[in-house]
Amino acid sequence: MLRFNSRSFQLTPSSATLVIVACAICFGSVPVFVRELQGMGNGPATIALYRYGFSAMALLPFFPTEKHKISSAVLVSGAGAVLGLSLIGYLDALTRAPVAAAGVVYMSYPVFAALFAWVLLRQKLTWRSFAAASLILTAAALLLDPSALSPDVLSALVWAIPAPIAFRFLVVVLSGLADDLTALERTVCGLTGSIVGLLPLALHEAQGSVLPSSATEWSLIIVMGLATALIPQVLFTVACQKVGAVRTAAAGSFELPMMFMVGWLVFGEAIGQREMVCAVLVLSAILIAPTIAGARSANELEANAV
């Protein structure tokens, strides 16, 4: 079985950090593809299927088939299915709400990581857990103020909340409940689970066919799959082994400023003081949130879910 080893790439901690930043920038560009594909008539389930399907097919040969790994593979695949289904609300929010607001909601995952680590891994809640949760809740209260948002936008952002919950659930499963799987095996199990969960909804959404209908659509899907999923996922897996959990979180948090830039430069969305304050609160929570048990594995696999 092929294993990626960061030593073979001769990355230093500094260059690995830059690679993680570059991957975060790639992940933050997802809204560009989502809105383009949505404008061509694709729904959120179909778009999510396109993004994850590309990587899943490329990595399918690494799916674990050994008997002693089946239970872990099923567990990770199930968590991946939950994530895939939850992303429907997030992708829908990217088309109905400002990109910056949807990004703040998605990046609110530290509070959920602490809760799942407490429940599933028996990891104690520390002052850092409560501090991160307080920052996230403050940001949510500011962002989801009904008096400042239209009912449609507020509804879209609320339905995006399950995405960060499912994301951290998957990371906790990967880091603490699937130790017998390699990084690539965990990655492909999570992706395969997402595809299994999304396919029926995508078929219903597209009225029986999920195949792209034009060359332009095919091109967008291929570029999205390479630039926002497969390539950055693999690079992230390699680079994060060279840096600690804190630096990985800090470098990975560049995804949120990238989403702000996309909303401003590409879609002409204004970034107000409220959004900036929320972004600072969420980024602070990411930096102070405690590392969950088995952090190295979690860092390696976070890229699947972004």
Side-chain angles (χ1 to χ4, degrees):
M1 180 65 67
L2 177 63
R3 294 173 184 264
F4 283 102
N5 188 336
S6 60
R7 291 182 180 179
S8 63
F9 288 80
Q10 297 183 342
L11 289 174
T12 65
S14 296
S15 61
T17 301
L18 292 176
V19 169
I20 294 172
V21 170
C23 292
I25 291 173
C26 290
F27 297 139
S29 67
V30 168
V32 176
F33 299 96
V34 170
R35 291 198 177 182
E36 284 292 327
L37 289 169
Q38 190 269 343
M40 295 178 178
N42 296 288
T46 305
I47 296 172
L49 181 70
Y50 287 158
R51 186 180 179 221
Y52 284 129
F54 193 92
S55 297
M57 287 188 294
L59 298 177
L60 192 58
F62 302 106
F63 194 94
T65 56
E66 295 93 331
K67 188 175 181 179
H68 69 282
K69 295 184 177 182
I70 294 298
S71 59
S72 294
V74 171
L75 177 63
V76 174
S77 297
V82 172
L83 174 65
L85 293 173
S86 72
L87 282 176
I88 294 174
Y90 169 63
L91 295 180
D92 183 54
L94 287 176
T95 63
R96 295 167 54 197
V99 172
V104 168
V105 170
Y106 185 74
M107 298 292 284
S108 64
Y109 52 72
V111 61
F112 307 115
L115 289 175
F116 282 125
W118 176 51
V119 173
L120 298 177
L121 305 180
R122 300 294 188 267
Q123 180 170 319
K124 293 182 179 179
L125 295 175
T126 65
W127 71 267
R128 294 172 64 182
S129 303
F130 290 107
S134 298
L135 291 172
I136 294 298
L137 291 175
T138 302
L142 287 173
L143 186 67
L144 302 179
D145 182 0
S147 64
L149 299 172
S150 68
D152 182 63
V153 171
L154 180 61
S155 173
L157 293 176
V158 169
W159 280 109
I161 293 175
I165 297 176
F167 170 42
R168 293 318 278 190
F169 172 66
L170 174 60
V171 170
V172 169
V173 169
L174 291 169
S175 64
L177 301 176
D179 291 337
D180 54 339
L181 300 180
T182 66
L184 272 179
E185 289 171 343
R186 300 181 202 189
T187 300
V188 69
C189 287
L191 290 170
T192 302
S194 295
I195 297 306
V196 171
L198 286 166
L199 185 58
L201 291 178
L203 286 170
H204 174 75
E205 190 177 74
Q207 300 181 344
S209 175
V210 294
L211 292 177
S213 57
S214 68
T216 301
E217 203 170 347
W218 272 109
S219 298
L220 274 173
I221 292 168
I222 291 172
V223 174
M224 178 177 66
L226 289 173
T228 75
L230 182 59
I231 293 176
Q233 281 169 355
V234 173
L235 291 176
F236 192 104
T237 300
V238 173
C240 69
Q241 297 177 56
K242 281 290 186 178
V243 298
V246 173
R247 185 179 290 191
T248 297
S253 67
F254 268 76
E255 180 178 355
L256 185 57
M258 178 61 183
M259 294 185 72
F260 273 55
M261 294 295 290
V262 167
W264 176 44
L265 295 176
V266 180
F267 303 117
E269 297 174 355
I271 301 175
Q273 185 177 5
R274 180 189 301 267
E275 288 78 14
M276 293 299 295
V277 171
C278 290
V280 170
L281 291 173
V282 169
L283 293 177
S284 299
I286 291 172
L287 294 178
I288 69 172
T291 302
I292 62 175
R296 178 179 175 181
S297 297
N299 286 341
E300 292 172 359
L301 274 300
E302 274 193 12
N304 316 332
V306 180

